[in-house]
């Protein structure tokens, strides 16, 4: 579990770095996004990964790892947007953005630790294709929850789905990093 925590934190650190640099470039322009728009942004990234997996080729140079990192960061944006009231300012101070980012990625990591305890790191035996399919399924669930006026009878809410999406993307990046390391070792 210590190895998983270290790998998780390394992935989140890379994503956080990108997020905060983009925050310096663009500010919190993402504050205009509604939940469905965030879902669509994650969908675009997951669908691109799935298309590349299916076709086994790509024409745009952006790598799959970058798409998974984008999924993580949009998941964090989704969680922040769920918490902030509509009347909250569009422009958030950098320190506030950092605090929210750390809060939500910390909560996602805690969820991962709890689930890893119960599932025994089953995700380490999963395929990249499964992670993408699960992310796409979670997006469909969020869409259905939105269609139901954000009410569920028995199921988890939008926030739980965002947390799972973040964790699936982190897992995909960890396994991709491990696979790339093994390729370098045998080369």
């Amino acid at each position: 579990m210590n190895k998983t925590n270290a790998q998780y934190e390394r992935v989140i650190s890379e994503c956080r770095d990108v997020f905060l640099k983009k925050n310096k470039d663009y500010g919190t322009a993402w504050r205009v996004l509604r939940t469905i728009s965030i879902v669509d942004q994650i969908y675009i990234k997951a669908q691109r990964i799935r298309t590349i997996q299916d076709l086994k080729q790509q024409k745009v140079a952006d790598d799959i790892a970058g798409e998974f990192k984008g999924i993580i960061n949009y998941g964090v944006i989704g969680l922040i947007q769920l918490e902030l009231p509509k009347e909250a300012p569009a422009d958030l101070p950098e320190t506030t953005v950092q605090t929210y980012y750390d809060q939500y990625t910390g909560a996602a990591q805690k969820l991962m630790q709890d689930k890893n305890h119960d599932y025994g790191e089953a995700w380490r035996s999963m395929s990249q294709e499964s992670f993408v399919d699960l992310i796409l399924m979670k997006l469909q669930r969020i869409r259905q929850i939105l269609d139901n006026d954000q009410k569920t009878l028995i199921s988890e809410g939008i926030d739980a789905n965002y947390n799972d999406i973040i964790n699936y993307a982190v897992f995909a990046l960890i396994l991709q990093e491990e696979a790339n390391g093994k390729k370098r070792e045998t080369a």
Side-chain angles (χ1 to χ4, degrees), residues 35-89:
T35 300
I36 193 62
S37 299
I38 296 165
V39 167
D40 287 343
Q41 286 299 307
I42 296 170
Y43 173 80
I44 289 166
K45 293 181 174 306
Q47 187 59 47
R48 178 170 184 262
I49 296 168
R50 186 175 182 162
T51 301
I52 292 168
Q53 289 171 339
D54 290 347
L55 297 177
K56 305 213 182 322
Q57 65 174 329
Q58 68 186 69
K59 292 189 175 189
V60 177
D62 299 338
D63 65 354
I64 288 176
E67 298 293 6
F68 277 120
K69 290 175 185 176
I71 288 170
I72 291 165
N73 285 341
Y74 273 109
V76 173
I77 287 170
L79 289 167
I80 295 170
Q81 292 288 71
L82 285 176
E83 179 175 321
L84 291 175
K86 289 182 175 147
E87 63 275 1

Side-chain angles (χ1 to χ4, degrees), residues 133-146:
D133 291 350
L134 289 167
I135 289 168
L136 290 167
M137 179 188 69
K138 294 290 182 175
L139 294 171
Q140 287 301 107
R141 288 182 177 183
I142 294 172
R143 286 184 173 128
Q144 186 61 51
I145 293 169
L146 290 172

Side-chain angles (χ1 to χ4, degrees), residues 164-177:
D164 287 343
I165 287 168
I166 290 167
N167 283 333
Y168 293 144
V170 170
F171 295 157
L173 287 166
I174 289 171
L175 292 181
Q176 187 176 51
E177 181 181 276

